[in-house]
Amino acid sequence: MAAEIVNPRSDSSTGHEGADEPFDPAFALHRGGKMAVQATVPVRDKDDLSLAYTPGVAKVCSAIAERPELVHDYTWKSNVVAVVTDGTAVLGLGDIGAEASLPVMEGKAILFKQFGGVDAVPIALATTDADEIVETVVRLAPSFGGVNLEDISAPRCFEIERKLQERLDIPVFHDDQHGTAVVTLAALRNAAKLTGRTLGDLRAVISGSGAAGVAIAKFLLAAGLGDVAVADRKGIVSRDREDLTPVKRELAELTNKAGISGSLETALKGADVFIGVSGGTVPEPAVASMAPNAFVFAMANPNPEVHPDVAHKYAAVVATGRSDYPNQINNVLAFPGIFAGALQVRASRITEGMKIAAADALADVVGDELSAEYVIPSPFDERVAPAVTAAVAAAARAEGVARS
């Protein structure tokens, strides 16, 4: 008798310890995983089989061997991204390891599909060595049209991304850095517009000098921000500090034109913008010391660096990383459309111009609806992904990195 086929989601238990555990919808949803592979062609009979597999597949293989660029037309490569992690900086959980990171990587993959129409494969690596990660991804690259680096701790993430960009001719994008930066810029553009200012009029302070903080600082400056100071656990990253890593030394050369030294609280006096990507809590008096019509983007999850109730006392625009408050700075607004646009034109890489185009497109979606409670669109706004995709594709062509 044939064995019964059981759907892994049909198990009635919902906890992870047994029947006595209280119902937990998170475990119920994750049972059996959140993904599956689905065929796009039927295999109903021997004729289908002979086309989908042998002997028909041999013709396609031979054609690709003669003309390698045909792989984009006759395989899924042109629309599939590798979501790569080593599990060292997973959400707010930290270094939890490769296997424990898989639920997050699966989640990232389904967001790629849901919001950008892009297929994605989670790849959790059993190494934290930067060179081993690079070599592994380089060897996997023929199967993919792009690489999304995810939840890899700083400062290794900078080196890994740089080396992969140097060695591969497909887009490599560390979303924790650049996705966050793109959405932040979009929200900041609209906040400035709302209050009658430009980016060049603003001085910002960033709490956090990890992957997101460094990327946001560099990106905002490239987009025309007036000035930005970045704070780590020891205070403002400034040229007079002797304890800086190479990454922070470079950051000190690029940022803090005002020459501020000392604490985050010192830097916030008279500042126009606070951007939090670090966790911790900013004292209310420091928020109160900011300039009139300030912006507070407190993006730590689940606890923002400045509670929205406090921020609203002093700031003209408040944003968080949470979905239960207005103005959510959410990477899902950026990465699906960015990759969709890059893959659409077979871009060899993702440029600064493509990222700025993505941010501008995001900001433009808000349009005439702009208000203090709405400086950035919802991830569920159906206009977002098409707008970002089109803008990124156009920018890739303009910058000469498109191949179709």
Side-chain angles (χ1 to χ4, degrees):
M1 187 173 80
E4 180 184 4
I5 299 175
V6 178
N7 182 340
R9 292 188 179 277
S10 66
D11 191 322
S12 61
S13 66
T14 55
H16 64 290
E17 294 295 341
D20 293 336
E21 288 291 318
F23 175 81
D24 188 324
F27 281 94
L29 182 142
H30 282 79
R31 182 171 292 280
K34 300 192 290 285
M35 298 177 60
V37 174
Q38 181 177 342
T40 60
V41 297
V43 184
R44 299 161 298 196
D45 52 36
K46 66 178 183 180
D47 291 333
D48 288 345
L49 182 60
S50 68
L51 287 173
Y53 200 53
T54 186
V57 73
K59 298 177 183 179
V60 180
C61 293
S62 297
I64 294 171
E66 292 178 9
R67 294 176 55 197
E69 70 274 11
L70 292 178
V71 70
H72 296 282
D73 296 315
Y74 295 109
T75 73
W76 76 336
K77 179 184 174 84
S78 63
N79 197 53
V80 65
V81 169
V83 180
V84 179
T85 190
D86 63 359
T88 55
V90 181
L91 296 178
L93 304 174
D95 185 355
I96 61 174
E99 289 182 332
S101 76
L102 272 174
V104 176
M105 300 310 115
E106 287 184 6
K108 199 78 173 189
I110 65 175
L111 295 179
F112 264 110
K113 190 67 172 179
Q114 174 73 24
F115 294 103
V118 173
D119 292 306
V121 178
I123 299 176
L125 300 178
T127 178
T128 59
D129 180 88
D131 288 333
E132 289 183 358
I133 292 172
V134 170
E135 292 299 327
T136 301
V137 174
V138 167
R139 284 162 173 74
L140 290 169
S143 296
F144 299 97
V147 175
N148 184 85
L149 299 173
E150 190 73 23
D151 292 349
I152 298 173
S153 62
R156 296 173 312 112
C157 60
F158 304 116
E159 175 189 0
I160 290 166
E161 183 186 47
R162 176 179 55 79
K163 288 183 176 179
L164 286 173
Q165 288 172 337
E166 290 170 353
R167 295 184 58 178
L168 298 178
D169 66 346
I170 58 175
V172 178
F173 185 84
H174 184 206
D175 185 50
D176 300 326
Q177 294 183 58
H178 311 300
T180 308
V182 165
V183 183
T184 301
L185 174 59
L188 192 57
R189 278 202 190 283
N190 275 339
K193 180 180 179 181
L194 182 68
T195 56
R197 290 175 285 179
T198 67
L199 290 180
D201 298 325
L202 304 176
R203 179 173 72 84
V205 178
I206 297 175
S207 176
S209 60
V214 171
I216 291 170
K218 291 181 177 180
F219 191 55
L220 293 183
L221 288 173
L225 186 73
D227 193 13
V228 59
V230 180
D232 62 12
R233 291 183 179 87
K234 297 182 180 179
I236 299 301
V237 175
S238 56
R239 295 180 184 181
D240 60 355
R241 282 180 48 180
E242 299 179 355
D243 61 342
L244 300 180
T245 64
V247 170
K248 292 181 183 180
R249 279 199 298 272
E250 179 190 6
L251 194 62
E253 294 297 323
L254 296 172
T255 62
N256 196 16
K257 297 175 186 175
I260 300 170
S261 297
S263 66
L264 171 72
E265 290 82 358
T266 299
L268 280 175
K269 293 177 181 177
D272 303 291
V273 185
F274 168 76
I275 297 171
V277 284
S278 66
T281 301
V282 177
E284 183 171 343
V287 181
S289 74
M290 295 177 68
N293 290 318
F295 313 142
V296 172
F297 293 2
M299 297 187 285
N301 265 317
N303 299 312
E305 294 88 348
V306 182
H307 192 280
D309 292 344
V310 173
H312 278 296
K313 294 181 184 179
Y314 311 102
V317 176
V318 177
T320 71
R322 291 175 52 147
S323 60
D324 53 347
Y325 291 101
N327 297 326
Q328 183 188 19
I329 307 294
N330 191 328
N331 288 14
V332 76
L333 288 163
F335 70 81
I338 289 174
F339 268 101
L343 293 173
Q344 184 181 96
V345 298
R346 297 180 189 172
S348 58
R349 58 194 177 93
I350 294 172
T351 65
E352 290 298 298
M354 291 162 71
K355 291 184 287 185
I356 288 175
D360 289 346
L362 261 180
D364 289 344
V365 168
V366 172
D368 294 338
E369 301 170 73
L370 179 63
S371 71
E373 301 291 298
Y374 186 54
V375 297
I376 196 74
S378 162
F380 295 99
D381 188 323
E382 295 182 354
R383 298 171 295 174
V384 167
V388 173
T389 299
V392 168
R397 292 190 179 101
E399 300 212 332
V401 298
R403 291 176 287 194
S404 71

